[in-house]
């Protein structure tokens, strides 16, 4: 599903942000990516979204060599990869319904389908009743739920999350992680970058630790501990 072979990414001369990364994530997996600030986690996410090209190595997603995807095909590729960020990135002047519907409009989904899909997604994230609210009228946790609904409305096979709980308190962080776990149980492959080690320890998933651009550890579910 997600395969990296000897992938490196340098922004400029000097130490690369990612250095000879190889990893394999299977369909249906839930994977945490952890590591200090500046270790290359967001760079990894950007490579998977084809926002950046690797300096070296090969990335294959859903059987497709990312390097071979033409510029014109990138929007279609990205439809199969949902993404959420720490800062939610919602449209501030649009209500909850419109924020999710927008993701469908841009790919030409019919209004009829949008009217049926958006409420389904909002129910899934527990926000059906708030469809008319503006982002500023929602808590951080609720805003992240909207972002998750938007990321999933086009039914991507993969969901990437770059520090999705970074702006949330402990209770909301847990709720978002449990929601991501639920989404994974329904079949989506989920990759979550996080600093919340307490949650990582408790959830017993596969944990990939990145340190200064290299994979320091890759632990199977339940194996993660903070002891060296
Ligand atoms: N656009 C950029 N230009 C130059 N250097 C960058 C850029 N983005 C990230 N870096 C550098 O690459 C390294 C990894 O960054 P990043 O992937 O954002 O790490 P993380 O998400 O783990 O904090 C850092 O040293 C950072 O300063
Ligand atoms: Mg980052």
């Amino acid at each position: 599903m997600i395969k990296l072979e000897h992938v490196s990414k340098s922004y400029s001369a000097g130490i690369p942000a990612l250095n000879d990364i190889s990893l394999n994530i299977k369909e249906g997996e839930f994977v945490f990516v952890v590591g200090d600030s500046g270790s290359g986690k967001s760079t990894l996410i950007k490579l998977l979204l084809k926002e950046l090209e690797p300096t070296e190595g090969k990335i294959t997603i859903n059987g497709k060599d990312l390097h071979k995807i033409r510029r014109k095909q990138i929007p279609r590729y990205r439809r199969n990869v949902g993404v959420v960020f720490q800062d939610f990135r919602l449209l501030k002047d649009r209500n909850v319904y419109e924020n999710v519907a927008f993701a469908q409009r841009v790919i030409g989904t019919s209004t009829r389908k949008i009217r049926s899909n958006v409420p389904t997604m909002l129910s899934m994230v527990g926000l059906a009743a708030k469809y008319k609210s503006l982002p500023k009228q929602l808590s951080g946790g609720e805003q992240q739920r909207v972002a998750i609904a938007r990321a999933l409305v086009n039914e991507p096979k993969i969901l990437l999350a770059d520090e999705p709980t970074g702006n949330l308190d402990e209770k909301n962080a847990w709720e978002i992680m449990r929601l991501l776990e639920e989404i994974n149980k329904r079949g989506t492959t989920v990759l979550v970058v996080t600093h919340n080690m307490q949650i990582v320890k408790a959830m017993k998933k596969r944990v990939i630790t990145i340190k200064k651009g290299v994979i320091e550890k890759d632990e199977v579910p339940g194996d993660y501990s903070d002891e060296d």
Side-chain angles (χ1 to χ4, degrees):
M1 166 112 322
I2 300 176
K3 191 175 180 188
L4 278 77
E5 296 168 89
H6 302 290
V7 169
S8 297
K9 173 67 195 176
S10 300
Y11 289 102
S12 55
I15 306 161
L18 287 176
N19 192 357
D20 196 19
I21 298 275
S22 293
L23 69 89
N24 230 314
I25 296 172
K26 293 200 190 78
E27 185 165 2
E29 273 197 272
F30 187 117
V31 182
F32 280 122
V33 175
V34 303
D36 295 340
S37 185
S39 57
K41 305 179 301 296
S42 293
T43 299
L44 172 64
I45 298 273
K46 285 173 189 159
L47 289 170
L48 298 178
L49 290 169
K50 206 173 158 69
E51 282 178 18
L52 292 174
E53 287 295 314
T55 314
E56 279 176 77
K58 183 176 170 186
I59 303 175
T60 315
I61 310 273
N62 295 330
K64 269 208 176 118
D65 180 346
L66 284 204
H67 188 66
K68 291 190 178 148
I69 297 177
R70 289 164 194 272
R71 193 175 296 262
K72 260 178 74 178
Q73 297 170 325
I74 291 176
R76 194 206 289 180
Y77 162 71
R78 291 200 183 127
R79 253 174 257 169
N80 282 307
V81 186
V83 62
V84 296
F85 300 95
Q86 177 170 358
D87 55 0
F88 322 131
R89 303 195 188 178
L90 300 174
L91 301 168
K92 289 184 173 56
D93 57 346
R94 305 284 176 93
N95 66 27
V96 165
Y97 181 93
E98 285 303 322
N99 264 279
V100 180
F102 184 75
Q104 296 234 275
R105 293 218 172 87
V106 295
I107 66 164
T109 307
S110 71
T111 304
R112 207 174 125 252
K113 277 195 184 153
I114 294 174
R115 282 190 189 138
S116 117
N117 289 345
V118 174
T120 303
M121 288 315 299
L122 290 177
S123 301
M124 202 264 295
V125 301
L127 279 180
K130 301 221 169 174
Y131 72 99
K132 279 186 178 168
S133 301
L134 288 169
K136 68 177 177 201
Q137 297 170 318
L138 302 176
S139 72
E142 288 171 334
Q143 290 185 56
Q144 193 60 293
R145 286 168 183 276
V146 178
I148 291 170
R150 178 181 61 184
L152 294 175
V153 72
N154 295 330
E155 300 186 349
K157 291 201 166 88
I158 298 171
L159 178 65
L160 307 176
D162 194 350
E163 306 204 23
T165 64
N167 285 357
L168 305 179
D169 61 27
E170 201 60 20
K171 179 173 168 285
N172 278 297
W174 263 111
E175 285 176 11
I176 291 299
M177 289 296 194
R178 288 299 183 207
L179 177 59
L180 295 175
E181 187 176 43
E182 175 65 29
I183 288 157
N184 172 251
K185 285 191 177 135
R186 293 176 184 211
T188 310
T189 304
V190 175
L191 188 155
V192 183
V193 170
T194 186
H195 274 124
N196 197 322
M197 303 321 277
Q198 228 174 323
I199 292 182
V200 171
K201 265 182 240 172
M203 282 180 68
K204 304 199 187 316
K205 307 293 185 188
R206 177 177 172 188
V207 182
I208 296 172
T209 306
I210 302 188
K211 191 172 183 178
K212 292 181 182 162
V214 303
I215 294 179
E216 186 188 42
K217 285 188 274 187
D218 185 347
E219 292 156 301
V220 299
D223 252 21
Y224 177 78
S225 75
D226 57 355
E227 292 149 31
D228 285 313

